[in-house]
């Protein structure tokens, strides 16, 4: 297979990966606030998460506990809950306003309220309890 060709058997060929200081709490919160469902959760030692897979529609994120290991030297949770981040996740949802209400009720810190976008669709942006930036919108870039 050429290097530029994605795997043909994957449900999604790009799967964001995050690390959390309190990954068990993050998993529960992401399910409650955003509607993710647990696909796989592998506990680590001392109440940590070695690896988890959460799904939303046909998308997936992977996450684990922040730790001092080889990969942890390259990726860690945001330094502060309100600081800038270098990447964010965008997820397509059918009803942006209903999703926003669910997330806000669960304590998501909305940084951009739902609004229609010039390029089409509706979008809102929020932060999870550890400061990761999430975007939920109705715009489908595949269409």
């Amino acid at each position: 297979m050429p290097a530029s060709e994605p795997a043909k058997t994957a449900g999604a060929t790009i799967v964001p990966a995050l690390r959390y200081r309190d990954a068990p709490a993050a998993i529960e919160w992401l399910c409650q606030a955003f509607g993710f469902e647990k696909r796989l959760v592998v506990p680590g030692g001392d109440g940590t998460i070695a690896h988890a897979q959460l799904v939303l529609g046909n998308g997936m994120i992977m996450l684990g506990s922040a730790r001092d290991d080889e990969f942890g030297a390259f990726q860690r949770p945001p330094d502060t809950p309100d600081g800038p981040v270098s990447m964010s996740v965008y997820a397509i949802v059918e009803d942006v306003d209903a999703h926003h209400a669910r997330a806000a009720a669960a304590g998501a810190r909305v940084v951009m309220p739902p609004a229609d976008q010039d390029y089409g669709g509706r979008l809102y942006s929020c932060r999870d309890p550890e400061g990761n930036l999430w975007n939920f919108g109705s715009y489908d870039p595949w269409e």
Side-chain angles (χ1 to χ4, degrees):
M1 166 186 337
S4 63
E5 191 173 322
K8 300 285 189 213
T9 59
T13 58
I14 297 175
V15 179
L18 301 101
R19 289 230 171 150
Y20 284 90
R21 288 178 185 84
D22 186 349
I27 290 168
E28 297 307 317
W29 191 87
L30 291 166
C31 291
Q32 177 188 4
F34 296 158
F36 278 99
E37 296 177 5
K38 298 173 194 172
R39 182 172 187 267
L40 174 70
V41 177
V42 179
D46 300 323
T48 62
I49 300 296
H51 178 76
Q53 300 169 356
L54 305 181
V55 295
L56 182 66
N58 66 352
M60 178 188 296
I61 61 169
M62 297 187 300
L63 65 95
S65 293
R67 49 193 176 270
D68 292 325
D69 60 8
E70 183 179 8
F71 189 73
F74 298 106
Q75 183 176 359
R76 65 177 186 262
D79 290 332
T80 66
D82 294 315
V85 297
S86 64
M87 63 82 57
S88 62
V89 177
Y90 175 78
I92 301 167
V93 295
E94 283 188 35
D95 187 335
V96 172
D97 294 292
H99 194 276
H100 167 263
R102 175 183 182 155
R109 288 177 293 123
V110 176
V111 296
M112 293 175 54
D116 294 331
Q117 302 299 303
D118 292 340
Y119 53 81
R122 193 162 173 77
L123 171 83
Y124 81 95
S125 299
C126 65
R127 288 183 181 263
D128 66 26
E130 292 198 17
N132 292 296
L133 183 62
W134 294 82
N135 309 282
F136 295 93
S138 58
Y139 174 72
D140 183 346
W142 294 106
E143 291 183 349

